[in-house]
Amino acid sequence: MNAAELKQKFVNFFVSHGHVEIPSAPIVPENDPTTLFISAGMHPLVSYLLGQPHPLGKRLVNVQKCIRTGDIDDIGDNRHHTFFEMLGNWSLGDYFKDDMIPWSFEFLTKILNINPNDLHITCFVGDENSPKDEESAGLWKITGIPSNHIHFMPKEDNWWGPAGVTGPCGPDTEMFLDTKPELPEVEFEEGCKAERYVEIWNDVFMQFNKDSNGKYEPLKQTNVDTGMGVERTTAILSGFSDNYMSSIWQPIIKKIEEISNKNYVGVNHDSPSLQEESETKSIRIIADHIRASVFMIAAGVEPSNKERGYVLRRLIRRSIREGKKLGIESNFTVIIANAVLDNQNNFAGNYPELNLNKDKLLISLETEENKFRKTLDNGLKEIQKLIDKNKNVSGKEAFTLYESFGFPVEMVVEELKKYNLALDIEEFNAAKEEHQQQSRTLSAGKFKSGLADHSEIATKYHTATHLLHAALRQVLGEHVQQSGSNITEERMRFDFSHGDKLTESQIKEIEDLVNAKINEKLPVICQTMKFTEAQKEGALAFFGTKYPKTVTVYTIGDIGNYFSKEVCTGPHISNTSELGHFKIIKEESAASGKRRIYAIFIVF
Ligand code: SER
């Protein structure tokens, strides 16, 4: 089965059970400005899981493009991907376990024709916040799953969310497939470790909202959130325990084999040599990273040293380093990107942004590759200098080369070998570990401020971005378009299209206008309407984004005589009087033709 067939089956099944298909949200979140990438199908739906009515109803299904950058360095095994597609269905306060579990069983065994005896199920064992999930286990037994195939597991395994620090979460039940049913059964955990029992679907029963004090409050509504990885399921249904063997990846893998003259040996292969294993890993990394890069650039991300751009840069540069390991010395990222673009029918979803941005994304890759190859040349010169000066390169120096030039440590080792020198790899590893510790602390902070942050302060700043957007358009002109925003508990940041630096009097005028609207105590009205109608009414929307047919629109002021109107998923406060005094603290250039404003509330 290929990915498109799997998606069709999944969507049709849930549509036949009253669900509405919604489009995949962009991988760069639009209305959750505090996180880098969409990482699960539920992620763009957080407001609705918390109780806001969704314009298309209570039963939704889709395929969502996702990016997970948790530990990019883990990529290279047979089943992790930076970019992947996730099938999901949702009940927004509608059905719950007693519908979802029989449907899961029916879909797996009747639609995907999986032998029920090959299924293993895990359920939550219970803790002080939530009881043992006997209900789910009981429902699985009714479908016919024998008790010895139902396993109770702790929170680390059978609890999902919140996606950030706060938000909806709950126990889940996970479905595993025995990929070697012909062999005698083994202990469940052993089977998982040996990758014999492989997870293919996750049903999350969202019953709680975890608040910022770490308390689990029952949600206003109980939801279902499920997720099925397209890459893994497609591979397994085609008999591969290595995701990269499926039709989704093979055209890309073939291209890499062709240009490197190396062979990909999947895990099904008998006893590959160490050399073959390492080459296979490099091939996987290149395929994964370039595919993810293609989607990031198509979503508007450019390689840089900050945030999303930095993630992208690391992906491209790591691909090139892996290419070097395979002996590829000339530019190749564009060739691989073309293999991704030429095989779009292997995706489960349709992504028109890929063709729309094709030229731009190929140029961006080529430019970054040229830059990095130059960097590598400079790194080699640096090594030469160190050898001339100190007769060696220390582990710390090798780490600096790695960190600031992205210069691979293997290449330092190779260079040193030419002089019969050896690198103190322990010193290198210690320096790297220390650095990783620091960035883990940093990214934990980032995560905390962000993902699905629906705290009161974030919500206030979110409404303020709408006021600022409208004020900028009124003062500077209608060419102003929001191009991004970012909110922390301390401040908001807002990027927009505008050529010139703002004058002091313009800044004052904008501030005064926002504060006037706050003092006017304007209502913030949420309405559901057709996207075309929203456009007719003048609601602002992100240019080039694919919106669902029906959307929510937030109006600030009177419906007929409004100050601001934007297509947005929320959440927002309900009256501008809830906001404090608004102050712009900085105005600067964000990129050519783009300005950036930092603003705060002086009092809340
Ligand atoms: N959110 C859950 C997951 O990512 C189910 O969709 O697995």
Side-chain angles (χ1 to χ4, degrees):
M1 184 177 309
N2 65 33
E5 284 162 356
L6 174 64
K7 182 214 161 176
Q8 220 42 56
K9 289 197 157 137
F10 191 90
V11 170
N12 288 350
F13 180 79
F14 284 100
V15 166
S16 79
H17 287 292
H19 292 63
V20 176
E21 185 182 355
I22 55 171
S24 181
I27 46 164
V28 171
E30 290 173 310
N31 289 311
D32 185 355
T34 49
T35 183
L36 293 183
F37 297 105
I38 292 293
S39 62
M42 58 75 71
H43 191 159
L45 296 173
V46 169
S47 314
Y48 308 110
L49 295 163
L50 289 173
Q52 186 188 317
H54 191 283
L56 295 175
K58 294 179 171 178
R59 296 183 178 199
L60 307 175
V61 59
N62 85 348
V63 54
Q64 174 64 47
K65 50 194 163 182
C66 301
I67 287 201
R68 287 193 185 171
T69 57
D71 206 340
I72 291 181
D73 292 335
D74 275 351
I75 302 293
D77 68 8
N78 57 331
R79 61 201 177 89
H80 282 95
H81 310 300
T82 309
F83 170 90
F84 62 96
E85 296 180 280
M86 191 189 276
L87 293 162
N89 64 285
W90 294 275
S91 156
L92 303 171
D94 191 13
Y95 59 84
F96 206 46
K97 298 176 186 177
D98 47 354
D99 281 312
M100 192 59 226
I101 289 177
W103 284 344
S104 294
F105 182 79
E106 187 187 337
F107 182 71
L108 293 174
T109 60
K110 302 273 165 20
I111 310 289
L112 299 186
N113 295 322
I114 289 171
N115 182 342
N117 298 331
D118 298 346
L119 287 172
H120 281 259
I121 306 295
T122 61
C123 297
F124 181 51
V125 73
D127 68 3
E128 65 281 10
N129 298 314
S130 183
K132 183 169 180 183
D133 195 0
E134 294 283 11
E135 200 186 342
S136 292
L139 288 161
W140 281 115
K141 274 182 212 156
I142 295 172
T143 65
I145 302 279
S147 303
N148 65 347
H149 277 203
I150 300 175
H151 314 274
F152 285 98
M153 312 285 276
K155 208 161 198 160
E156 301 88 85
D157 304 290
N158 278 86
W159 188 272
W160 205 88
V165 169
T166 61
C169 56
D172 66 27
T173 180
E174 299 181 11
M175 290 140 266
F176 289 72
L177 183 66
D178 183 352
T179 57
K180 299 218 169 58
E182 66 283 4
L183 299 180
E185 289 210 4
V186 293
E187 184 70 31
F188 180 68
E189 282 191 39
E190 284 309 307
C192 290
K193 252 188 243 148
E195 294 183 12
R196 169 171 166 185
Y197 302 148
V198 183
E199 186 203 333
I200 51 169
W201 201 1
N202 181 12
D203 292 352
V204 185
F205 300 116
M206 288 188 167
Q207 291 166 276
F208 298 99
N209 182 43
K210 189 175 180 189
D211 69 18
S212 46
N213 301 320
K215 264 187 46 201
Y216 292 86
E217 296 289 349
L219 277 179
K220 272 189 242 149
Q221 63 185 38
T222 50
N223 310 296
V224 174
D225 155 39
T226 90
M228 175 183 277
V230 169
E231 287 76 2
R232 188 178 299 177
T233 308
T234 305
I236 286 183
L237 293 177
S238 317
F240 299 118
S241 51
D242 178 346
N243 288 6
Y244 291 87
M245 293 298 289
S246 85
S247 54
I248 298 179
W249 290 99
Q250 274 302 302
I252 310 171
I253 301 277
K254 291 242 153 64
K255 203 31 114 189
I256 304 170
E257 287 183 314
E258 192 184 304
I259 55 180
S260 65
N261 226 347
K262 298 282 182 324
N263 286 330
Y264 181 86
V265 284
V267 292
N268 292 2
H269 189 278
D270 296 333
S271 53
S273 66
L274 279 179
Q275 164 98 6
E276 281 173 322
E277 260 180 29
S278 129
E279 285 166 0
T280 293
K281 187 170 169 195
S282 296
I283 295 175
R284 285 182 187 141
I285 294 172
I286 295 170
D288 172 88
H289 285 14
I290 298 298
R291 190 173 87 135
S293 302
V294 162
F295 274 91
M296 286 186 192
I297 306 172
V301 182
E302 282 291 329
S304 77
N305 285 332
K306 266 169 62 187
E307 303 191 336
R308 295 184 184 103
Y310 182 58
V311 176
L312 172 61
R313 170 159 282 168
R314 277 182 61 198
L315 293 174
I316 301 172
R317 296 191 165 196
R318 187 157 176 239
S319 307
I320 297 166
R321 295 207 302 266
E322 295 299 324
K324 274 185 169 290
K325 287 190 198 165
L326 295 175
I328 312 175
E329 287 301 341
S330 50
N331 284 15
F332 70 97
T333 56
V334 162
I335 304 175
I336 309 306
N338 270 319
V340 176
L341 296 169
D342 291 345
N343 290 283
Q344 289 178 50
N345 56 349
N346 288 330
F347 289 114
N350 295 321
Y351 307 112
E353 74 270 24
L354 297 185
N355 288 341
L356 280 173
N357 294 295
K358 183 171 175 176
D359 293 346
K360 184 184 124 185
L361 74 89
L362 296 180
I363 290 170
S364 183
L365 279 171
E366 183 77 8
T367 310
E368 181 65 12
E369 182 157 7
N370 286 338
K371 242 191 221 163
F372 186 52
R373 290 195 183 275
K374 212 185 216 147
T375 292
L376 289 179
D377 289 345
N378 292 341
L380 286 174
K381 283 188 198 132
E382 248 350 271
I383 293 180
Q384 196 57 54
K385 271 194 217 151
L386 289 167
I387 294 176
D388 291 346
K389 200 167 113 209
N390 305 332
K391 307 276 170 278
N392 206 343
V393 176
S394 74
K396 269 200 184 132
E397 284 162 344
F399 180 71
T400 309
L401 281 167
Y402 168 78
E403 193 40 38
S404 47
F405 290 94
F407 195 88
V409 66
E410 300 85 354
M411 285 178 66
V412 179
V413 173
E414 267 167 38
E415 282 304 300
L416 291 181
K417 253 195 211 147
K418 293 183 190 159
Y419 298 86
N420 271 334
L421 294 169
L423 182 73
D424 184 345
I425 199 80
E426 303 224 322
E427 188 183 307
F428 171 86
N429 285 337
K432 188 171 171 189
E433 179 51 39
E434 191 188 330
H435 179 85
Q436 276 173 341
Q437 197 58 41
Q438 280 170 7
S439 37
R440 268 197 285 273
T441 318
L442 273 176
S443 66
K446 163 109 205 139
F447 208 49
K448 201 159 120 209
S449 74
L451 189 55
D453 184 354
H454 291 262
S455 70
E456 205 185 318
I457 297 178
T459 308
K460 284 182 175 176
Y461 275 128
H462 188 186
T463 305
T465 61
H466 286 219
L467 288 175
L468 177 62
H469 196 184
L472 287 166
R473 288 168 62 91
Q474 200 161 312
V475 174
L476 304 175
E478 304 245 311
H479 60 278
V480 169
Q481 278 274 348
Q482 171 172 2
S483 55
S485 68
N486 172 285
I487 291 171
T488 71
E489 293 267 314
E490 285 79 36
R491 55 101 181 118
M492 57 176 271
R493 194 180 80 198
F494 189 87
D495 294 351
F496 58 101
S497 47
H498 183 64
D500 304 323
K501 183 165 180 55
L502 270 54
T503 63
E504 261 172 45
S505 73
Q506 281 172 329
I507 292 180
K508 169 117 190 8
E509 204 181 326
I510 292 159
E511 266 175 6
D512 287 350
L513 184 52
V514 171
N515 282 317
K517 296 300 156 188
I518 292 172
N519 292 335
E520 281 173 33
K521 302 189 186 351
L522 299 177
V524 182
I525 305 156
C526 174
Q527 285 171 299
T528 298
M529 61 179 82
K530 293 245 153 37
F531 181 60
T532 46
E533 199 184 318
Q535 279 180 309
K536 253 189 242 145
E537 291 196 5
L540 301 178
F542 273 88
F543 179 73
T545 297
K546 201 166 152 206
Y547 284 96
K549 278 205 189 84
T550 313
V551 293
T552 45
V553 172
Y554 281 87
T555 305
I556 305 181
D558 284 345
I559 291 286
N561 178 24
Y562 58 84
F563 178 63
S564 148
K565 198 186 269 290
E566 292 196 26
V567 176
C568 174
T569 54
H572 285 281
I573 54 164
S574 52
N575 193 290
T576 59
S577 63
E578 292 167 43
L579 302 176
H581 187 80
F582 180 82
K583 175 103 194 112
I584 293 176
I585 50 172
K586 195 170 175 191
E587 189 273 343
E588 64 185 21
S589 160
S592 89
K594 287 211 177 117
R595 307 299 301 176
R596 168 170 289 179
I597 280 179
Y598 289 90
I600 56 169
F601 289 117
I602 298 184
V603 276
F604 275 97

